[in-house]
């Protein structure tokens, strides 16, 4: 294979250089590539197939709860972006501005959407008349642009792909329920399908979305102990509705402001998959989103009858999962390494001896466990094995999160822990932004969230000593 | 229903004002809305659901033929757009330019992609090394921007959604086969699924895509006799490959230029659906892409047991098609008009008398034919009826195209026909652009295509009298 460009090379071990390990996987598993456009990535077929699987799962869950997809414009006129004060302050510094259409200088600059609250509000104003029009439950799949200074594939890019849900409700209570419900949808995606344990909680005011009253988040822990915000759900109250003068005729026949939410999950989640499950041999994919769930590698395929039998096996396996056979003339060893790099959950080895015995060898990617399985049992065993992989990689991640989560009652303890291995540090907090700033300045920690599952660790804030209001999880974040 | 905003109003009859009829349907069937961004539309849930169904069908056909999806950047640096001379000349005058990222003036302007050949070529250069890497069969679903002066929803908007396929091949022959194959895929989508008859052919050099060697097209005829180009497939030869210096190591170990294609179909096709099948009562949707294929309208729903039985019916009907029940307190008459406006293929009326007789009334949208069908036969009859609708609306459109297609042998005949009702005019042609220009200047006709199915109408070009090379279909176009 002298001219086979893609040799399976070693990747940098994660203990040597975690950042390099990450980009090695992105490149060698053919997930994404750089483009000549500053900060913009190309998502290659394998990465796109993972995203399509995530889309299908999420889209199904959205529609099950009554949401409908729409397609909104890519551009936002400057005056529209400026309608909600906090929102424009948050986003204006990082948007891309279109100034010319063809040769013509535009009378008003347009920004490429960094998020679409303003566009949705403009539309809501037109289509909402009465309480009978509510709730409006919209979502869109698109890419958005934020002019980031430093970028890394999937984790932070100038352009990224996501879905953004935007809903309008008759009452504040209903909007709050929607905000919580959609966070649950994200948590379910992560835990049940991506095998990523997450902590659900609320962001502090300092960390919340520009223009939101409340932001809920799910936070995951990566291999290196750093946090990755994996999905957010915002409650806006009627702030945007007032700014955009959106009213509806209430049941009492009086005009009222509707209550709003938005929520988003992006291609960042692919970064979370890599850094939660990957290892020094490459990617480890959760079965639910793996483009190939089982790869069949014929052994001694030049021998008579092997390929024919392997193809028959592929037919069988295809009935219960997304299966592929690699008939290329690369060696079995090369193929083993290649599909480990690509994180395929199950490898099925099948050679003359196996054929003779009516069995095959199934290796689970995450722990390299080998099993000899009679061919006739495969259709029943494969779904079980895929579930075993999901549970196995979930448990590994959950265990790591448990091991790397510590509790601190005093600022000294916080600093001592922050100087050690990276992880989550739980403390109480008084609720003051000054104390949050001090955590950043003195211990290098940002607040990840105020978890829904609260504990009482002490009575006071470790920073200022004043009475504590809530427990916060602190960490270093992507 | 005093506060029900959306009363079913009359729409402008198509014979009175076809353009107004069109925009009435777009608005009243809730397909799209205008936005404050010049020339950009909002595709509303109903329109988006139609597009999603089209996407699913096409995406399946692409993948069946080995294509993989990718996600490319939204921006193209000016220098990259300029690499292929004909291409930049075609597109530069109509692109939107990004000049600032946040507060910072960019060192190089970026255009918002009008199409992505240049981005794909840059990537192909990186990933193509040997003939073993070919063919590369890529596609992406995205929106693109072309700064159009006058716009109409779906037909011509500054931003539109589409898919763009981009492939690279070892030989010219293989690339040509791909170009033809993908045109066939589009033709199949239109004829089999959208019930739109199309003429397949090749564009003249004047009408071909900027940078292409050959452009193939499918042309449909709208209600008003005008043509709508519904999908195009381009063969590039190695023009872009040479401009981008993309080479691969051939089977002979020598560097060679690969041969390229691209092909696209856009949200314009929704305009084609409206103008091919719609009537004065609203939209008529082809069953394959109708978000709701059968709507159940309970009659006298306040009477005991009616709603319960209607819901049971919905369960039954849901097993064989996309079904919906309208339980709102609007009158049956209002509902009939509403779902006719929305083009739902089948309406199922179900009231106390029907329940008693164990039957229901099924009305096909396109011809308003009523049938009494025993409930137990519904699961078998609905798929048949949907197919009957598809065939029925296809035949109507095919008949119209036949009626409005004329043949001319002399320029006098051409002018006489062009002065009458709009339609397709077939003539021979010498192949000279000067004669094509004259057809435009003197008869107001543009060449739609040189159809694959050629006829010999005469020996000479009706414009110049020189020997004819090919038959052309001329018309007025959207």
């Amino acid at each position: 294979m002298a001219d086979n460009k893609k040799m399976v090379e070693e990747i940098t071990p994660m203990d040597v250089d975690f950042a390099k390990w990450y980009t090695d996987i992105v490149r060698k598993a053919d997930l994404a590539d750089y483009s000549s456009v500053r900060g913009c990535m190309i998502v290659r077929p394998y990465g796109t197939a993972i995203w399509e699987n995530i889309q299908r799962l999420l889209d199904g869950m959205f529609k099950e709860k009554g949401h409908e997809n729409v397609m909104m414009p890519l551009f936002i006129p400057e005056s529209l972006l400026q309608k909600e004060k906090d929102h424009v302050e948050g986003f204006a510094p990082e948007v891309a501005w279109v100034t010319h259409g063809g040769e013509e200088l535009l009378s008003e600059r347009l920004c490429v959407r960094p998020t679409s609250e303003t566009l949705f509000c403009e539309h809501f104003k037109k289509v909402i008349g009465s309480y009978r029009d509510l709730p409006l439950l919209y979502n869109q799949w698109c890419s958005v642009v934020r002019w980031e200074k430093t970028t890394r594939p999937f984790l932070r890019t100038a352009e990224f792909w996501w879905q953004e849900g935007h809903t309008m409700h008759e009452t504040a209570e209903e909007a709050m329920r929607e905000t919580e419900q959609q966070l649950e949808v994200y948590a379910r995606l992560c835990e049940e399908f991506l095998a990523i344990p997450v902590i659900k909680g609320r962001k502090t005011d300092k960390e919340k979305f520009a223009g939101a009253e409340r932001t809920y988040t799910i936070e995951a822990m990566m291999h290196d102990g750093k946090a990755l915000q994996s999905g957010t759900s915002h409650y806006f109250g009627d702030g945007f509705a007032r700014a955009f003068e959106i009213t509806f005729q209430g049941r009492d026949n009086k005009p009222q402001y509707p209550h709003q939410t938005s929520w988003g999950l992006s291609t960042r989640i692919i970064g979370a998959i890599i850094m939660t499950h990957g290892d020094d041999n490459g990617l480890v994919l959760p079965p639910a989103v793996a483009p190939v769930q089982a790869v069949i590698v014929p052994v001694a395929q030049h021998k008579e009858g092997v390929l024919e039998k392997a193809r028959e096996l592929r037919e069988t396996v295809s009935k219960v999962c997304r299966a592929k056979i690699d008939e290329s003339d690369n060696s079995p060893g090369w193929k083993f390494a290649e599909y480990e790099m690509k994180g395929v959950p199950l490898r099925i080895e099948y050679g003359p001896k196996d054929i003779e015995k009516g069995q095959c060898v199934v290796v689970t990617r995450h722990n390299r466990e080998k099993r000899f399985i009679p061919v006739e049992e495969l259709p029943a065993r494969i779904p079980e094995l895929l579930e075993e992989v999901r549970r196995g990689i979930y448990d590994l991640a959950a265990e790591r999160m448990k091991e790397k989560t510590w509790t601190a009652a005093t600022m000294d303890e916080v600093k001592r822990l922050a100087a050690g291995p990276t992880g989550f540090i739980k403390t109480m907090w008084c609720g003051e932004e000054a104390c949050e700033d001090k955590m950043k300045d003195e211990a290098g920690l940002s607040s990840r969230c105020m978890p829904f599952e609260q504990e009482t660790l002490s009575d006071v804030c470790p920073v200022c000593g004043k009475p504590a209001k809530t427990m916060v999880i602190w960490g270093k974040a992507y």
Side-chain angles (χ1 to χ4, degrees), chain A:
Chain A
M1 313 303 103
D3 61 350
N4 197 315
K5 287 176 68 185
K6 195 180 55 196
M7 300 300 291
V8 180
E9 308 153 63
E10 296 286 312
I11 58 173
T12 310
M14 65 169 89
D15 285 345
V16 173
D17 184 340
F18 192 76
K20 183 89 180 10
W21 168 83
Y22 177 81
T23 47
D24 277 0
I25 289 190
V26 168
R27 194 165 48 85
K28 295 188 185 174
D30 296 335
L31 294 174
D33 197 3
Y34 297 96
S35 78
S36 67
V37 191
R38 179 174 162 282
C40 291
M41 64 175 166
I42 291 164
V43 186
R44 301 191 62 190
Y46 200 61
T48 303
I50 295 171
W51 181 239
E52 286 179 337
N53 287 335
I54 293 170
Q55 280 189 296
R56 199 176 42 244
L57 290 168
L58 264 188
D59 201 67
M61 290 195 271
F62 295 161
K63 283 178 176 157
E64 205 174 82
K65 300 214 181 287
H67 301 91
E68 300 179 293
N69 286 335
V70 297
M71 302 193 289
M72 285 279 166
L74 175 64
F75 300 122
I76 307 174
E78 189 162 15
S79 58
L80 190 64
L81 187 69
Q82 287 170 339
K83 277 211 171 177
E84 210 284 341
K85 200 180 65 55
D86 294 334
H87 189 68
V88 66
E89 275 176 18
F91 284 106
E94 57 176 40
V95 296
W97 290 105
V98 173
T99 55
H100 288 74
E103 305 296 311
E104 173 204 350
L105 177 69
L106 304 184
S107 59
E108 180 181 14
R109 297 200 298 180
L110 304 172
C111 80
V112 180
R113 65 180 162 220
T115 180
S116 306
E117 277 74 11
T118 53
L119 290 165
F120 275 88
C121 279
E122 187 188 39
H123 183 60
F124 286 146
K125 188 177 165 68
K126 278 197 193 175
V127 297
I128 294 175
S130 130
Y131 68 91
R132 287 164 182 264
D133 300 322
L134 298 175
L136 270 183
L137 307 173
Y138 285 173
N139 177 60
Q140 86 168 334
W141 293 95
C142 62
S143 75
V144 291
V145 170
R146 298 177 188 174
W147 217 252
E148 302 280 359
K149 293 255 182 272
T150 52
T151 60
R152 294 177 66 193
F154 297 115
L155 297 177
R156 196 169 293 276
T157 45
E159 181 189 20
F160 59 88
W161 290 264
W162 77 347
Q163 58 66 222
E164 45 178 326
H166 296 269
T167 70
M168 279 292 197
H169 304 265
E170 201 180 337
T171 65
E173 294 67 37
E174 192 187 296
M176 273 301 304
R177 275 201 302 277
E178 168 82 8
T179 314
E180 289 162 8
Q181 170 193 288
Q182 293 310 102
L183 194 81
E184 279 300 332
V185 166
Y186 292 153
R188 195 177 151 213
L189 174 80
C190 286
E191 304 220 324
E192 285 183 32
F193 296 103
L194 307 182
I196 299 175
V198 293
I199 293 172
K200 292 175 276 189
R202 183 178 161 188
K203 286 283 183 190
T204 61
D205 282 352
K206 183 186 159 97
E207 299 284 338
K208 74 183 182 188
F209 183 81
E213 267 192 29
R214 287 186 176 204
T215 288
Y216 292 138
T217 180
I218 48 172
E219 301 281 327
M221 183 191 279
M222 303 297 101
H223 252 301
D224 60 352
K226 283 168 82 173
L228 195 138
Q229 175 183 305
S230 303
T232 48
S233 185
H234 317 292
Y235 170 69
F236 289 105
D238 58 10
F240 274 91
R242 285 175 189 269
F244 282 78
E245 294 168 2
I246 306 166
T247 57
F248 68 92
Q249 193 185 32
R251 287 170 202 270
D252 57 1
N253 277 324
K254 286 181 193 150
Q256 298 183 9
Y257 292 110
H259 297 262
Q260 187 174 359
T261 84
S262 82
W263 24 275
L265 183 141
S266 78
T267 39
R268 242 191 153 206
I269 201 74
I270 296 176
I273 292 172
I274 299 169
M275 293 195 293
T276 302
H277 302 308
D279 63 24
D280 285 348
N281 299 310
L283 200 56
V284 173
L285 286 176
V289 298
V292 177
Q293 294 173 312
V295 62
I296 293 161
V297 178
V299 177
Q301 66 182 43
H302 58 280
K303 293 212 174 142
E304 210 192 310
V306 171
L307 269 183
E308 287 70 12
K309 292 294 282 183
R311 285 174 196 155
E312 275 175 30
L313 193 70
R314 199 199 71 92
E315 286 304 306
T316 308
V317 175
S318 285
K319 291 197 178 99
V320 294
C321 74
R322 294 187 284 272
K324 171 186 165 152
I325 183 169
D326 185 344
E327 299 188 4
S328 71
D329 51 8
N330 293 304
S331 70
W334 188 95
K335 292 176 189 174
F336 294 175
E338 168 72 3
Y339 296 104
E340 289 200 342
M341 176 66 75
K342 292 213 156 169
V344 175
L346 303 179
R347 177 176 80 224
I348 303 178
E349 307 169 11
Y350 198 46
K353 276 187 201 159
D354 305 304
I355 293 169
E356 210 174 289
K357 292 186 192 162
Q359 66 176 28
C360 56
V361 181
V362 181
V363 183
T364 37
R365 163 67 182 89
H366 68 297
N367 56 9
R368 289 185 160 175
E369 257 182 50
K370 248 186 189 185
R371 293 165 188 79
F372 296 89
I373 298 180
V375 169
E376 74 265 21
E377 287 178 20
L378 267 190
R381 291 299 307 282
I382 282 177
E384 289 169 15
L385 284 170
L386 290 173
E387 171 56 16
E388 198 178 310
V389 169
R390 188 197 72 81
R391 220 172 31 237
I393 60 178
Y394 180 90
D395 289 348
L396 282 172
E399 204 172 308
R400 180 173 66 237
M401 199 196 283
K402 203 172 153 198
E403 272 171 17
K404 294 193 179 181
T405 300
W406 302 282
T407 298
T410 67
M411 201 57 193
D412 277 351
E413 277 177 26
V414 169
K415 286 182 192 169
R416 186 177 52 76
L417 286 168
T422 306
F424 290 167
I425 300 173
K426 297 194 281 191
T427 78
M428 301 310 289
W429 179 49
C430 63
E432 292 297 322
E433 200 167 312
C435 291
E436 199 176 348
D437 290 341
K438 248 187 173 164
M439 276 288 206
K440 185 85 200 166
D441 296 340
E442 298 186 4
L445 301 172
S446 64
S447 73
R448 303 319 311 148
C449 69
M450 301 177 280
F452 292 164
E453 285 189 23
Q454 284 281 316
E455 300 163 56
T456 307
L457 306 172
S458 78
D459 296 329
V460 297
C461 171
V463 189
C464 66
K466 285 185 198 151
K469 284 194 179 140
T470 179
M471 183 184 83
V472 169
I473 288 182
W474 311 86
K476 289 167 182 157
Y478 279 97

